[in-house]
Every structure is written in C-alpha cells, then in structure tokens.
Amino acid sequence: MADVSSGRRYGVDPRTLLVTFLDTLPSREAEIARLRYGIGGPSFTEEQLAIMFEVSKEKIAESLANVQRWLNRVDLMWVAESFERQAVIQ
C-alpha cells in the first residue's frame, strides 16, 4: 500500500522526501518534474514544457518517463501525483 510506503513508515513527510529526491536527479529532469507535477508552483502540460525548454514534446515525454521510472523505483510516484492533483484543484 502506497500510503505506508516511502517516508511515512519512517515518520518523514513524503512531500519533503520527494523534493529531496528530485534534488538528486539531473537538473533538467528535476526541473521538468517540478514543473509538470506542480511542485512549488503551477502544473504545466507536456506541450507547455516543450515550448519552455525549446525541445520537442517527445523529448519532454522521454524525460518524464525517466523521472517516473526513478520515482517508481523509490515508491514516490504517488507523492508526485498528489502534487499534480492539488495543483489542478487550486
């Protein structure tokens, strides 16, 4: 169950854990993830990110796929998705 995984089982705020984990990623992928999931600001679409980074939408999708694999490996994808849901609500 995701709610008891990652930092929660150790008494660490999962959002803090996610932000700290993103700091360990290559800077471009970390920034794309922050912007896509709305971590620290609004959430952007892949199309918007492609324009911002002046690359193709496919390159953004590739970067996000890498980030998602890394997040799934450390069981933090659910935290990133919760940021995105909250950004949409606001």
Side-chain angles (χ1 to χ4, degrees):
M1 176 180 268
D3 287 329
V4 297
S5 62
S6 303
R8 286 196 181 175
R9 92 176 68 147
Y10 302 109
V12 177
D13 176 31
R15 288 174 172 248
T16 301
L17 192 60
L18 173 65
V19 171
T20 302
F21 178 75
L22 288 177
D23 289 341
T24 69
L25 299 181
S27 61
R28 182 172 179 260
E29 277 79 6
E31 186 63 18
I32 288 171
R34 284 184 186 92
L35 293 170
R36 177 65 183 103
Y37 296 114
I39 300 169
S43 176
F44 293 91
T45 66
E46 289 182 20
E47 293 85 8
Q48 291 170 320
L49 292 172
I51 292 168
M52 291 168 71
F53 285 88
E54 298 178 349
V55 296
S56 68
K57 183 180 165 192
E58 290 76 23
K59 288 284 188 191
I60 295 296
E62 182 181 311
S63 290
L64 285 170
N66 286 334
V67 169
Q68 289 170 352
R69 275 193 294 278
W70 293 323
L71 291 173
N72 281 323
R73 274 190 215 140
V74 295
D75 197 21
L76 288 172
M77 190 62 214
W78 67 276
V79 183
E81 290 169 342
S82 75
F83 267 103
E84 184 177 23
R85 282 192 301 273
Q86 187 175 21
V88 170
I89 292 171
Q90 296 175 356

